[in-house]
Amino acid sequence: MIYVPNENNDPRVNLAIETFLLQEMKVDEPILLFYINEPSIIIGRNQNTIEEINLDYVEENNIHVVRRLSGGGAVYHDFGNLNFSFIMPDDGESFRDFKKLTSPIIEALHSMGVSGAELKGRNDLVIGDKKFSGNAMYATNGRMFAHGTIMLDSDVNEVVNALKVRKDKIESKGIKSIRSRVTNIKPYLDDAYQNLSTKDFRDDILLRIFNVDSIDQVQTYELTDEDWARINEISDKYYRNWDWNFGKSPEFDKVRRERFPIGSVEVRLNVAEGKIQEAKIFGDFFGLGEIADVEQMLVGTRYTKEDLQEVVSRIDIQKYFGNISAQDLLGLLY
């Protein structure tokens, strides 16, 4: 494994570093990247940004809003939150295998006293029933990353203030509020680690993952000036780009939403003269490929059950959405 040191706190840069390592640093061994972001909301690839954030609060408090490449839900980052990313070749078996790709983090936390840390549900790391880490994945052109958060000492009140959480998501977890669902891990760490800063915590996790005694024993790759030039180009194209982060969502006359075990899926359609004129699909599911492919397949289709059923039969549902049935998708569309 190769570690890429990074002291940047701008999420628009940090996600660009991750994208650069995924797309352009094509080595056979895994790459580990850590980053600590300024206050920010990181939106899932297929989410409707405006409906995930408290826009007035976000603007008043200068909170970054940045869309990532991976699916899943929106998460709040601040200086008390450590983000990790494992970037590697896609072996065809690891995508959606969160147990496999979060085990190095869980093992490191166990060794620091957080004995109750475990993967639970689809993609959450929890202590008991409280979540301290959300995880997501993305794969493209034979490579993938698995990344996630670790709430060390994050401001939980800001999570509540900055994000909207849909009632169906809260109810699906069997809980009453965000505050009752999330936790920092600091109270669970052994006494020796109670005064660690987020950077110190990062370094300690790093040593445990590499199983070494000092950072100079870790195999590292230092980003070059040429790398940084490319990273800034990626950041300008995506993560500093309003169209990428927010996008334009016209009014739709048909809106259907349902929560499945794979996450929520919302379909918005404009139908005129009996045919679908526009289609948008949102959600916090984890899919491979571009959901725009599915949207394009729907455009021009007559809005009848028979015609939609024929289109659905041609969609690789497992690829784009995960483990839902053709009947589930048809029921959502019609």
Side-chain angles (χ1 to χ4, degrees):
M1 187 182 297
I2 301 170
Y3 173 59
V4 177
N6 171 40
E7 299 296 338
N8 203 288
N9 299 124
D10 186 335
R12 300 165 298 182
V13 174
N14 285 330
L15 291 180
I17 295 171
E18 182 179 61
T19 302
F20 169 80
L21 296 174
L22 174 75
Q23 295 179 348
E24 303 192 21
M25 189 172 165
K26 297 183 178 179
V27 294
D28 291 333
E29 56 189 309
I31 302 167
L32 173 60
L33 175 71
F34 284 125
Y35 49 95
I36 301 166
N37 283 330
E38 299 165 345
S40 51
I41 296 173
I42 311 301
I43 299 290
R45 173 67 175 254
N46 300 311
Q47 290 189 294
N48 186 342
T49 300
I50 291 297
E51 296 196 3
E52 299 296 331
I53 67 173
N54 290 324
L55 184 60
D56 289 344
Y57 187 86
V58 164
E59 291 180 343
E60 288 168 8
N61 291 275
N62 297 313
I63 298 171
H64 297 290
V65 177
V66 188
R67 185 185 302 279
R68 62 179 185 267
L69 288 177
S70 60
V75 289
Y76 176 78
H77 291 177
D78 62 15
F79 288 109
N81 182 79
L82 177 65
N83 305 283
F84 62 88
S85 182
F86 294 102
I87 303 134
M88 68 206 82
D90 182 3
D91 60 10
E93 299 177 356
S94 296
F95 194 79
R96 301 191 184 102
D97 188 349
F98 288 101
K99 183 176 182 179
K100 173 183 176 181
L101 293 169
T102 58
S103 60
I105 298 297
I106 292 174
E107 290 170 9
L109 292 176
H110 286 176
S111 68
M112 298 175 75
V114 192
S115 58
E118 62 177 336
L119 176 70
K120 189 174 183 179
R122 184 175 56 138
N123 62 318
D124 293 343
L125 299 186
V126 302
I127 300 169
D129 290 326
K130 293 194 172 185
K131 171 180 174 178
F132 66 86
S133 170
N135 294 269
M137 295 185 189
Y138 178 73
T140 182
N141 296 327
R143 289 178 61 75
M144 64 173 286
F145 61 64
H147 58 187
T149 61
I150 305 175
M151 290 176 62
L152 173 67
D153 194 18
S154 194
D155 187 338
V156 176
N157 287 325
E158 287 299 273
V159 177
V160 177
N161 292 332
L163 289 174
K164 294 178 186 175
V165 177
R166 290 180 182 267
K167 188 170 180 285
D168 66 339
K169 184 166 187 176
I170 296 244
E171 289 177 345
S172 76
K173 305 288 184 180
I175 54 166
K176 298 297 183 184
S177 71
I178 303 173
R179 286 185 182 87
S180 69
R181 188 182 171 224
V182 301
T183 186
N184 287 308
I185 64 165
K186 184 177 180 179
Y188 302 92
L189 292 167
D190 285 340
D191 290 344
Y193 309 109
Q194 284 299 314
N195 295 320
L196 290 181
S197 68
T198 308
K199 286 185 177 181
D200 292 337
F201 175 70
R202 173 199 65 192
D203 293 346
D204 209 305
I205 294 283
L206 175 66
L207 298 182
R208 292 169 192 275
I209 289 176
F210 277 84
N211 194 28
V212 295
D213 296 322
S214 63
I215 290 178
D216 58 14
Q217 294 174 288
V218 174
Q219 182 181 0
T220 62
Y221 174 81
E222 296 285 348
L223 294 167
T224 66
D225 289 344
E226 185 178 343
D227 294 339
W228 278 110
R230 183 70 186 114
I231 287 164
N232 278 303
E233 289 175 2
I234 293 169
S235 183
D236 289 341
K237 182 177 180 180
Y238 293 103
Y239 308 115
R240 293 187 179 110
N241 184 333
W242 186 93
D243 285 332
W244 168 259
N245 292 325
F246 283 82
K248 297 176 181 177
S249 182
E251 294 296 319
F252 289 88
D253 53 28
K254 294 186 185 297
V255 179
R256 301 286 303 278
R257 177 185 173 87
E258 191 163 341
R259 187 158 192 87
F260 302 102
I262 54 93
S264 64
V265 184
E266 181 179 292
V267 176
R268 299 188 174 204
L269 304 173
N270 275 333
V271 179
E273 298 180 353
K275 290 185 177 181
I276 297 173
Q277 308 296 321
E278 294 177 283
K280 286 291 291 182
I281 299 173
F282 299 107
D284 60 1
F285 51 90
F286 295 106
L288 287 162
E290 302 290 341
I291 201 66
D293 297 343
V294 178
E295 295 166 349
Q296 193 57 44
M297 291 175 73
L298 292 169
V299 172
T301 302
R302 288 195 310 161
Y303 194 70
T304 68
K305 186 173 183 179
E306 292 74 21
D307 283 41
L308 286 168
Q309 190 166 23
E310 193 279 327
V311 172
V312 167
S313 71
R314 293 188 278 112
I315 297 172
D316 187 341
I317 295 173
Q318 294 287 317
K319 173 182 176 181
Y320 289 104
F321 296 95
N323 191 26
I324 63 171
S325 69
Q327 198 61 37
D328 287 335
L329 183 57
L330 181 62
L332 187 60
L333 290 167
Y334 192 79

